[in-house]
Amino acid sequence: MFPASVSIRTLLLTAVAWSFGLPVGQSSRAAQWPDEYRIGQFIVHADFPLAPHYDLLNSLPLLQTQLVEMLGIQPSHEVIYVFLFNRRSTYQAYLREYFPEAPTRKALFIKARGPGMVFAYRGEDFETDLRHECAHALLNAALPMVPLWLDEGLAEYFEVPAALRQRGSPHHRSVAWAARLGRVPLIEELEGMTDLDQMGRPQYRHAWAWTHFMLHGPPEAREELVRYLADIQALTPPGRLSRRLRHRIPDLERAFANHFRSW
Ligand SMILES: [Zn+2]
């Protein structure tokens, strides 16, 4: 959840970054991570014992299954490196040293040309942060690109435990309340965002809301999202999702408001 996380697509990784114990077995310094754990495609390194978090880590492959089921995309089995820190100060120092261009956030997803990397520390929102960043990692491993707002909307959607995704998100109440007052965020405004700096709390909430509408609203909306992502995966120019949705659902704002009013 904002400002817990950020994804960086354009960051150039330096050779130095890769030499610090990132991929297992590629560096003698890899052994310096006190604990390591592999589950599915996730390779987890931590500076604290991971055993108390096995339930959370073991649930990460299920996140892939749920994401694939909901979005109809073909999964990627690309490795995802996860780096976990006990203290915020160690996490921040590590990022400052190896990813100085990275913004100051509570958790990070970084992907350039290689496998995706997730960084987080054991803070208050540790589980949520980890699911959020791993959702980014899974999406960006499977798809050649994801529009910024949709990437964040989906990560916000998948960051809560599965049982809470449809009705228990912390965003739900305020979105439903606004919808009752006839306030519907403009999807085109979200689509115009190209930089994470443009996205504050309201934009994250709006991105979540449109994502929720597509996944749990009228079947045509979900169908169009699935088709849109399939086009992206097939490298077919997908056009604008807003235009596609408006073509399928002419009174899109009314459908959005009805979806949340009925919550
Ligand atoms: Zn994010």
Side-chain angles (χ1 to χ4, degrees):
M1 187 177 299
F2 181 84
S5 55
V6 64
S7 63
I8 305 171
R9 299 174 184 74
T10 54
L11 197 68
L12 293 177
L13 301 181
T14 64
V16 174
W18 279 104
S19 71
F20 180 61
L22 290 180
V24 179
Q26 289 189 13
S27 159
S28 57
R29 299 189 69 179
Q32 290 181 2
W33 288 93
D35 205 355
E36 293 173 12
Y37 187 64
R38 184 164 190 152
I39 178 74
Q41 72 209 94
F42 296 91
I43 299 177
V44 185
H45 291 189
D47 67 357
F48 58 87
L50 285 169
H53 301 285
Y54 281 169
D55 282 354
L56 172 64
L57 298 176
N58 290 339
S59 74
L60 293 178
L62 190 60
L63 188 61
Q64 162 92 304
T65 309
Q66 293 158 345
L67 201 132
V68 162
E69 265 175 29
M70 294 293 284
L71 305 178
I73 56 176
Q74 294 299 314
S76 160
H77 300 290
E78 185 179 287
V79 160
I80 293 166
Y81 292 101
V82 179
F83 300 93
L84 302 177
F85 300 83
N86 191 36
R87 292 169 176 275
R88 183 170 64 173
S89 54
T90 322
Y91 159 83
Q92 287 173 334
Y94 184 92
L95 289 173
R96 257 198 316 275
E97 179 155 4
Y98 296 102
F99 300 96
E101 294 170 58
T104 310
R105 298 291 174 111
K106 272 171 52 183
L108 280 171
F109 162 63
I110 297 178
K111 183 173 175 65
R113 287 179 290 274
M117 294 179 290
V118 165
F119 300 87
Y121 69 91
R122 205 153 51 154
E124 206 181 321
D125 303 315
F126 178 58
E127 298 203 359
T128 303
D129 291 347
L130 190 59
R131 273 190 298 266
H132 181 109
E133 302 306 332
C134 286
H136 280 311
L138 290 165
L139 276 171
N140 286 274
L143 299 169
M145 71 80 142
V146 190
L148 176 67
W149 78 272
L150 186 58
D151 200 8
E152 290 306 337
L154 287 166
E156 291 287 304
Y157 176 82
F158 283 101
E159 74 177 20
V160 295
L164 299 179
R165 282 178 199 147
Q166 189 169 355
R167 297 193 174 271
S169 164
H171 292 308
H172 216 139
R173 187 178 296 273
S174 58
V175 172
W177 183 247
R180 278 189 209 112
L181 297 175
R183 292 207 297 265
V184 175
L186 197 60
I187 188 170
E188 283 82 356
E189 204 171 289
L190 290 169
E191 279 183 326
M193 296 193 173
T194 53
D195 194 309
L196 269 163
D197 288 343
Q198 296 170 288
M199 292 195 65
R201 280 179 194 279
Q203 287 72 31
Y204 272 73
R205 187 169 62 247
H206 297 164
W208 171 87
W210 277 106
T211 302
H212 190 279
F213 167 76
M214 289 187 284
L215 293 176
H216 299 290
E220 303 94 300
R222 167 108 169 249
E223 219 171 84
E224 207 49 48
L225 174 65
V226 167
R227 287 182 189 175
Y228 176 79
L229 294 174
D231 282 348
I232 290 177
Q233 198 157 39
L235 302 176
T236 304
R240 281 179 173 269
L241 183 52
S242 60
R243 206 168 292 165
R244 294 173 66 147
L245 284 171
R246 287 190 190 285
H247 182 71
R248 294 295 300 280
I249 305 170
D251 199 346
L252 192 59
E253 273 72 19
R254 184 194 291 264
F256 177 99
N258 286 343
H259 169 62
F260 284 105
R261 268 194 209 114
S262 64
W263 178 65

